[in-house]
């Protein structure tokens, strides 16, 4: 496909609007509109989709010889290789759907070569988990976009053949961020399949200095810095113009970057007031009502996704998330969108 596009035979982008709209046919109510109406009519029960959960193949677990030193405690390492632990915890908490990801950093660290065959095996494993748990699990394909065409071919296989729901990529690798030319082929595949790209934070350079200064939170702050720079690189590199329909998801660890983004450009005060926003989403990383309120106010409730980083953080629950939404001052429609509606639309799974 990339060769056909380079030759001008196949288009790189498509016009806006649905096929129905292009032929001048009457627009039907969208699946998301129907979903919001149906979800709002239920007895106060939220349809929770956790966009940010992690599982690793068993050989990367507590006793796995392949595991990169992660600094995670033993109880987390036991959970992160145990799909049953996730399914049991989420069922008890009332979470409808977990969206799995296995990051390149967790397999290989933040620098150096990546084994393409191993990446393919991980994606096969994720697809098998989804197939074995229909309706309860979805998965994002593990992709190293900084490997160029190799990554694009695996993204094509993962989305086209395996049917995975999107891509998870690291915010940085070997000193490169998303504006690097090597990332373009992978993003082109995601745009063509109309599947989201989750940009996951990685350890910052000199993380040991941050940890020495601020402990465990210093490490998280460094990861937020890397994700924030990746977010700004998307804004500043022309990617949004090159792929106008591509949808990105960022972890809220990078929330500090919105201060810079708000100083002008696509997130200027005027653009926000006029509702002109990029297709960029942030996950809540838990259910703190103040954080949820900030995200919803700045980005809009249609750009915020429920997420936890499980098993680093515990599962969301019907009770705690519902209370947090009310404390944050969200109306019923916003609650439906953030809890699961936005994620289901991104994943193409609105019709449950």
């Amino acid at each position: 496909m990339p060769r056909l596009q380079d030759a001008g035979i196949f288009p790189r982008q498509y016009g806006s609007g649905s096929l129905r709209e292009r032929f001048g046919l009457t627009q039907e109510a969208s699946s998301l509109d129907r979903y919001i109406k149906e979800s709002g009519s239920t007895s106060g029960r939220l349809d929770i989709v956790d966009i940010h959960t992690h599982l690793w193949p068993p050989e990367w677990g507590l006793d796995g010889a392949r595991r990169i030193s992660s600094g995670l405690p033993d109880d987390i390492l036991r959970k992160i290789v145990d799909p049953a632990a996730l399914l049991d915890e989420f069922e008890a908490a009332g979470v409808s759907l977990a969206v799995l990801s296995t990051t390149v950093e967790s397999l290989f660290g933040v620098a150096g070569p990546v084994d393409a065959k191993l990446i393919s095996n991980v994606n096969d494993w994720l697809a098998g988990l989804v197939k074995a748990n229909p309706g309860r699990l979805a998965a994002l394909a593990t992709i190293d976009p900084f490997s160029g065409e190799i990554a694009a071919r695996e993204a094509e296989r993962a989305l086209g053949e395996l049917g995975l729901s999107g891509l998870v990529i690291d915010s940085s690798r070997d000193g490169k961020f998303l504006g690097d030319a090597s990332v373009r082929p992978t993003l082109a595949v995601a745009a063509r399949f109309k599947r989201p790209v989750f940009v996951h934070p990685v350890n910052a350079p000199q993380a040991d200095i941050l940890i020495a200064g601020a402990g465990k939170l210093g490490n998280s702050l460094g990861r937020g810095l890397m994700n924030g720079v990746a977010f700004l690189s998307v804004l500043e590199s022309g990617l949004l113009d090159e792929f106008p329909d591509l949808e990105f998801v960022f972890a809220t660890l990078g929330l500090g970057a919105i201060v810079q983004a708000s100083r002008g450009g696509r997130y200027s005060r005027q653009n926000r007031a006029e509702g002109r926003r990029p297709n960029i989403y942030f996950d809540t990383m838990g259910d703190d009502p103040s954080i949820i309120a900030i995200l919803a106010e700045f980005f809009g409730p249609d750009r915020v996704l429920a997420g936890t980083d499980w098993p680093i953080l515990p599962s969301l629950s019907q009770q705690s998330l519902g209370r947090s939404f009310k404390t944050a001052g969200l109306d019923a429609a916003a609650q439906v969108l953030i809890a699961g509606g936005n994620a289901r639309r991104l994943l193409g799974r609105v019709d449950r």
Side-chain angles (χ1 to χ4, degrees), residues 18-338:
S18 67
L19 184 63
R20 175 178 291 274
E21 290 169 331
R22 292 177 202 171
F23 280 92
L25 300 175
T26 302
Q27 181 66 28
E28 296 179 341
S30 72
S31 297
L32 184 59
D33 290 337
R34 293 195 300 273
Y35 169 88
I36 293 172
K37 183 176 180 179
E38 292 168 2
S39 297
S41 65
T42 59
S43 57
R45 185 175 177 83
L46 295 167
D47 172 37
I48 303 175
V49 178
D50 190 332
I51 195 69
H52 189 176
T53 71
H54 297 297
L55 283 175
W56 298 349
E59 58 266 33
W60 270 269
L62 184 61
D63 300 318
R66 284 175 161 170
R67 179 169 63 83
I68 297 291
S69 177
S70 61
L72 295 176
D74 288 353
D75 60 329
I76 299 297
L77 290 172
R78 277 189 286 269
K79 284 185 175 182
I80 208 167
V81 293
D82 185 2
L86 181 150
L87 290 166
D88 291 345
E89 185 174 330
F90 278 34
E91 182 176 7
V95 177
S96 304
L97 181 68
V99 183
L100 308 176
S101 57
T102 307
T103 65
V104 168
E105 181 198 22
S106 66
L107 303 178
F108 303 101
V110 296
V114 171
D115 186 335
K117 178 61 177 175
L118 191 53
I119 294 276
S120 296
N121 291 342
V122 170
N123 289 329
D124 290 340
W125 176 75
L126 288 168
L129 285 178
V130 172
K131 185 176 180 180
N133 297 276
R136 301 184 68 189
L137 298 180
L140 305 174
T142 304
I143 298 294
D144 170 28
F146 302 99
S147 60
E149 293 294 343
I150 294 174
R153 287 194 292 272
E154 178 59 18
E156 180 94 26
R157 188 185 78 90
L159 298 179
E161 296 179 23
L162 300 181
L164 296 179
S165 297
L167 309 179
V168 60
I169 64 176
D170 286 352
S171 54
S172 176
R173 188 165 188 81
D174 291 324
K176 300 175 182 177
F177 287 87
L178 304 190
D180 191 83
S182 62
V183 178
R184 256 69 171 184
T186 292
L187 298 183
V189 173
R192 180 157 47 81
F193 278 92
K194 299 186 182 301
R195 287 290 177 257
V197 176
F198 192 110
V199 183
H200 196 273
V202 297
N203 265 343
Q206 298 182 312
D208 55 333
I209 295 176
L210 301 177
I211 294 170
K216 179 180 177 182
L217 294 181
N219 185 58
S220 294
L221 180 65
R223 296 176 74 85
L225 169 65
M226 300 301 280
N227 222 42
V229 173
F231 164 63
L232 295 176
S233 75
V234 168
L235 297 183
E236 299 297 320
S237 63
L239 288 175
L240 295 174
D241 295 321
E242 188 172 347
F243 304 107
D245 298 323
L246 183 58
E247 293 170 302
F248 292 92
V249 180
F250 285 84
T252 295
L253 279 179
L255 186 58
I258 71 170
V259 176
Q260 302 303 319
S262 67
R263 295 172 67 181
R266 295 177 188 270
Y267 283 105
S268 68
R269 191 172 181 179
Q270 180 178 345
N271 280 349
R272 298 198 315 274
E274 295 173 356
R276 291 188 282 135
R277 296 156 301 153
N279 293 327
I280 296 178
Y281 301 72
F282 274 71
D283 87 272
T284 60
M285 291 281 287
D287 61 0
D288 186 306
S290 296
I291 300 299
I292 292 172
I294 290 170
L295 292 169
E297 173 65 23
F298 187 85
F299 294 104
D302 59 338
R303 293 292 190 273
V304 185
L305 309 170
T308 58
D309 198 22
W310 188 95
I312 312 301
L313 294 178
S315 169
L316 300 168
S317 75
Q318 290 286 327
Q319 292 75 24
S320 65
L321 188 59
R323 286 194 301 267
S324 293
F325 281 164
K326 291 176 182 177
T327 303
L330 300 180
D331 62 25
Q335 293 182 34
V336 169
L337 287 174
I338 294 173

